[in-house]
Amino acid sequence: MFKDKGILKACWVGMYILCCVLGFLQPQQGGAKILLQILALLFFLPPAADLYFSCKRKDRAELRLLRNLSLVSLGGTTALLVLNVLSAMTSNTLVGDILHYALVVVSVPFVCGQYSVYSLLLWAILLWSCLSALRKK
């Protein structure tokens, strides 16, 4: 059932929407914080399964798609973080708010999980795994 690319992509889109919406919440404490961290980790389950089944099927197009999505997320997160820090030097808070909202949307689940390093690490692992799989094929 979960070997189908369409189902895995639908699950990933659903997790993206959920984590994106939850990323706009204020930082949580206690059980809610743990739940957000679990959801942020579960965000990477559909792409990991898709990567696994794409390797088994030798589906280079799917591996390239996962690689490109990882690159866009990591590159966009880096650029938006730098711009967000630079916007702190200005007196205009609107620019900082817009950049923060863009960061929430581009780098899901970076903000949702409240521990950014896990999100960046898992995106990098997904990217590295795709690159490794593409090299082997």
Side-chain angles (χ1 to χ4, degrees):
M1 177 179 155
F2 287 109
K3 291 182 181 180
D4 183 25
K5 290 190 287 187
I7 292 174
L8 288 172
K9 287 179 183 176
C11 289
W12 200 15
V13 167
M15 287 299 295
Y16 174 86
I17 292 169
L18 178 66
C19 288
C20 187
V21 169
L22 293 175
F24 287 104
L25 295 177
Q26 296 297 321
Q28 302 294 312
Q29 298 296 322
K33 183 176 185 175
I34 292 170
L35 180 64
L36 288 175
Q37 292 168 358
I38 290 170
L39 286 173
L41 292 174
L42 288 176
F43 172 84
F44 291 98
L45 192 58
D50 194 15
L51 174 69
Y52 175 75
F53 292 124
S54 294
C55 285
K56 284 195 160 258
R57 286 190 302 264
K58 296 181 170 70
D59 188 354
R60 292 181 63 79
E62 191 71 19
L63 291 171
R64 276 190 233 106
L65 175 67
L66 288 171
R67 178 201 61 196
N68 292 343
L69 287 172
S70 300
L71 279 171
V72 166
S73 180
L74 286 170
T77 300
T78 303
L80 287 169
L81 279 174
V82 169
L83 289 173
N84 213 341
V85 168
L86 291 176
S87 75
M89 295 180 197
T90 67
S91 61
N92 190 355
T93 60
L94 179 64
V95 173
D97 290 341
I98 291 171
L99 288 172
H100 177 73
Y101 296 145
L103 184 66
V104 171
V105 172
V106 169
S107 60
V108 169
F110 185 78
V111 179
C112 172
Q114 298 181 5
Y115 290 112
S116 312
V117 70
Y118 296 129
S119 174
L120 293 175
L121 177 66
L122 290 172
W123 275 117
I125 289 172
L126 185 63
L127 173 63
W128 188 263
S129 300
C130 289
L131 292 173
S132 175
L134 283 169
R135 239 181 267 126
K136 288 180 183 177
K137 303 291 178 230

